Every structure is written in structure tokens, then in C-alpha cells.
Amino acid sequence: MRRTALLATVATLAAGALVWPAARHADAAPATFVHPGVTVSKGQLDFARTQVNAGAQPWKGAYDQMLASKYADLNRTPAPRATVECGSYSNPNYGCTDEREDAIAAYTDALAWYITRDDRYAKKSIALMDAWSAVIKDHTNSNAPLQTGWAGSSWTKAAEIIKYTYTGTWTNSGRFATMLRDVYLPEVIGGSNSNGNWELTMTEAAVGISVFLEDKASYDKAMATFRTRTAAYVYLSSDGSVPKTVPSQNLDTTAKIVNYWQGQSTFVTGLTQETCRDLTHTGYGISSISHIAETSRIQGQDLYGTDVGERLRQALGFQAKYQLGTAVPSWLCGGSLTLGLGPVTEVGYNALHNRLGIAMTNTQTLTQQNRPAGSNNLFVAWETLTHGDNPS
């Protein structure tokens, strides 16, 4: 009887009707959320603080770079507005740059607070978050989803550090949570059918917001979107003759897929949907993949050992090779690439190379060459400081 039941279970599993619990829940919300837990953990913050205070490199240099930036200016005046209107290519730009940079500043000040324990930085971070949570009601125009993703990604990193490490008070933290829930989350949780970096950045914000709000349903929805989009953004030869797709985009012919992949018809491992557009936008997508994977790891579900980690590794290596100057073959993007990958390699490199021991020669060279990695002034900031060779 037992043998018969076991054989029946195996047969059912083989037919795909059941999934082992470990696989089913690999990217589900944790029973209890970890804080601070959006992209950077308390252990990582402690490591960075220890290294900076010891004057060790590259962390001290990265910290000095951050503190010298405009984002750490304690005299910064926030510029909130009720409606942030962002058109294509930031035209019009009504509050778009102000919002993104105030959010990066809030995160910068939160990091500075953690490393220095200087109350002025924590209070400045809070002042920036409070200014916006008191005013903003909406994002409008064509770039609204992307803008909300960019700003939302930085706000949540700042808020996590302040709420869970600052020893003073943040009276309006509840109002800030309401802002994230009512103004930001609805704009990003539904995803996007635009270029893949849009949905990845929006999903990064949705995941971060879900952690801060401890919203398990939104976390699960965002992670499901993330798994589907990551598989459709970075090609692996194991995917077949053409890349995977997002069902809602109806890319149901090879011609449609090639068009969506910027006219590229030869698919090789590590190529992304936007490689032939330019490496800058590709870097946005790669960065968000690494940020979400890192948040998931902190929350107890490590995706680096899944296809997410393999796609991230291959995307980093492929883009890094050409960013470092390798000649572009004629079959790739018509023999020409627009470079400018940006400061986006530290998180993935640390997780995959340092933590898991995977060789990543090109990514390692580029990462070390670019240290200290600064900010892209959109949603990426100070990752040599927070993740550079960080064992936590």
C-alpha cells in the first residue's frame, strides 16, 4: 500500500500536478518580515560601519564620496508637490528630479546616520520623508509608473533604516506608510508592458513597499511578476530558440519578439531585452534584478540559486565584457553598442562571486575598476559602501 501510494505521488509530481513545498514557496512572503530588509540588511550596515570606522578601503573612500555628494547636504531643502508630472524623457518635468533626488538624499542621510550615529542625518532623512508624505497625492503623465518606481525604491530603503535603527522618534512614520500604500503602491503593483526595465524597477519599489508595510499579499504578487519578467528580460540558451515572454504582452510570434528585443534576432546567453537599445537602460534592469534578489535573500528566500541568479550572473558578465571594450561582433546589435552600464554591478557581484564563489572575471574587473560606485541619480546609490565585498 505504502509503495503504491509513493509511486502514485511520484507519478503525479512527474505530471506536474504537484510542486514540492520548497519549490512552491521559494519566493513567497516570509512568516515574519526582517527589518531593515530592503536591499541592505542590518548585518551589511554593521559591516560597512566597521570598515569605514577602521579607515579600510574601498569602504572609507565610498563613504567619503557619499558624504561629499549633494545628497548628504544637511542644508538641503525638500521640494515636495501634490502632483508629480513626468512625461517621456522627463518632458515635462514637474517635480520628477526633485522627488527622485530627495528620496536618494533621504537614503543617503539614513546611511550617514547609521555609520556616524550623528542625529543630524537621521533628522534630515526624516524631514525629507515627512515633507513628501505631507503633500504628494499623485504621479501623472506617461512616465508616472517608472518615476514612482524610481522614487519608491529609494524611499523604502531610507524608511527601513530610520524606522528600525534610529534611536530617536519618527512621529510621522505612519503617515509615510500611508503615502507608500495609497500613492506609490497602486502605481507600481500592476506591472508594465513597456521595456523590461520599467517593470523591474516598478517591481523593486513594490517589493520594498511590501516589506515596509509588511504586506504579504502585495509581496507575493510583486515577486511573481518579478520571476516572470526576469525570465523574459535575460536570455539563457536553455530558454529555447527565442526568449521567454510576459503573457500579457502577446509576443506570440518570433517577429514580434525580435522587434521587442530591439531588432536583435540572434539570441545568446546573457543578452537582455534592452542590450541593443543601450547598456544604460539595460543597467537599470540588471540593477533592479539584483536589488529584488537581495531583498528576497534578506527576507529568507534566496533566489540566487535559482534561474534568477543564473540570469543575473550571465547578464552582468555579458554586458561587462563589452563595457570593458571587447569588440562588438557584427551579429550583435548590428555591430554597435551604446555603452554606459552605470554603477550597477556591486550587489550581484557580491552575492554571486563573493558569497557563492562563482567565477565572474569580467564583472569583477569592471566592479573593481569602477569603485567606489556612486549614484545614477535615479535609484541606485552607494553600493560599494553597502555591498562591496560585504560578507553579511
Side-chain angles (χ1 to χ4, degrees):
M1 289 289 290
R2 287 177 182 169
R3 184 172 182 273
T4 301
L6 177 60
L7 289 172
T9 300
V10 170
T12 306
L13 283 164
L18 290 177
V19 179
W20 290 116
R24 184 191 305 127
H25 299 300
D27 48 10
T32 303
F33 283 99
V34 176
H35 303 288
V38 176
T39 306
V40 60
S41 68
K42 186 175 184 301
Q44 289 169 323
L45 291 168
D46 286 339
F47 175 82
R49 181 171 189 254
T50 298
Q51 299 306 108
V52 170
N53 289 339
Q57 299 296 354
W59 306 276
K60 180 62 165 62
Y63 170 75
D64 290 343
Q65 174 198 44
M66 180 185 81
L67 216 60
S69 76
K70 62 182 179 180
Y71 299 114
D73 182 359
L74 289 170
N75 294 314
R76 184 182 187 87
T77 302
R81 61 174 67 208
T83 300
V84 173
E85 182 179 356
C86 307
S88 182
Y89 296 98
S90 297
N91 183 25
N93 180 343
Y94 298 136
C96 314
T97 301
D98 291 336
E99 180 190 29
R100 291 195 308 267
E101 295 194 349
D102 278 350
I104 293 173
Y107 175 52
T108 300
D109 289 328
L111 289 173
W113 139 255
Y114 198 89
I115 289 170
T116 64
R117 295 301 196 267
D118 183 337
D119 270 23
R120 294 177 302 163
Y121 289 109
K123 289 175 180 176
K124 190 63 183 181
S125 181
I126 289 169
L128 290 162
M129 291 188 284
D130 283 355
W132 280 89
S133 70
V135 172
I136 191 167
K137 299 297 180 186
D138 198 14
H139 296 86
T140 63
N141 215 316
S142 58
N143 263 28
L146 182 60
Q147 169 72 19
T148 309
W150 280 335
S153 296
S154 296
W155 285 134
T156 53
K157 287 184 287 190
E160 281 281 302
I161 293 171
I162 294 298
K163 182 173 181 179
Y164 292 100
T165 73
Y166 179 47
T167 49
T169 56
W170 181 13
T171 305
N172 293 311
S173 63
R175 187 179 73 195
F176 186 83
T178 298
M179 175 193 79
L180 293 179
R181 181 182 296 108
D182 295 348
V183 179
Y184 287 78
L185 188 59
E187 191 71 50
V188 295
I189 193 65
S192 167
N193 286 329
S194 186
N195 281 303
N197 83 87
W198 275 53
E199 185 163 82
L200 287 164
T201 300
M202 291 163 64
T203 303
E204 178 185 343
V207 168
I209 291 168
S210 299
V211 171
F212 186 74
L213 299 179
E214 298 195 330
D215 181 341
K216 294 183 179 181
S218 293
Y219 185 94
D220 287 348
K221 182 175 182 179
M223 290 302 298
T225 299
F226 170 64
R227 294 298 296 269
T228 300
R229 174 59 72 176
T230 299
Y233 193 70
V234 182
Y235 177 78
L236 298 178
S237 60
S238 57
D239 294 337
S241 59
V242 295
K244 293 179 178 292
T245 62
V246 174
S248 61
Q249 292 189 272
N250 298 312
L251 299 174
D252 51 6
T253 67
T254 298
K256 288 181 181 179
I257 292 171
V258 168
N259 183 63
Y260 184 59
W261 281 62
Q262 323 296 325
Q264 177 69 13
S265 58
T266 300
F267 302 105
V268 296
T269 292
L271 183 78
T272 80
Q273 182 256 316
E274 294 185 274
T275 298
C276 292
R277 181 186 185 187
D278 57 63
L279 294 198
T280 301
H281 286 88
T282 298
Y284 300 164
I286 290 173
S287 182
S288 286
I289 291 171
S290 68
H291 292 168
I292 297 169
E294 192 70 358
T295 296
S296 180
R297 183 189 71 86
I298 295 166
Q299 297 305 326
Q301 299 88 24
D302 196 331
L303 296 179
Y304 289 115
T306 71
D307 78 296
V308 170
E310 180 62 7
R311 291 179 196 278
L312 177 59
R313 178 175 80 90
Q314 297 290 354
L316 282 168
F318 187 85
Q319 278 33 245
K321 176 173 65 174
Y322 294 108
Q323 184 66 40
L324 287 167
T326 295
V328 181
S330 60
W331 57 263
L332 177 61
C333 309
S336 176
L337 282 173
T338 301
L339 304 180
L341 188 61
V344 302
T345 65
E346 288 278 17
V347 177
Y349 170 72
N350 186 57
L352 296 164
H353 176 74
N354 293 332
R355 198 177 292 128
L356 298 183
I358 300 169
M360 299 175 71
T361 305
N362 289 322
T363 305
Q364 179 173 6
T365 299
L366 184 62
T367 300
Q368 294 175 346
Q369 178 178 297
N370 287 346
R371 285 178 173 170
S375 175
N376 72 353
N377 303 310
L378 297 173
F379 71 107
V380 179
W382 324 126
E383 294 183 349
T384 298
L385 175 64
T386 56
H387 291 82
D389 300 337
N390 193 319
S392 297

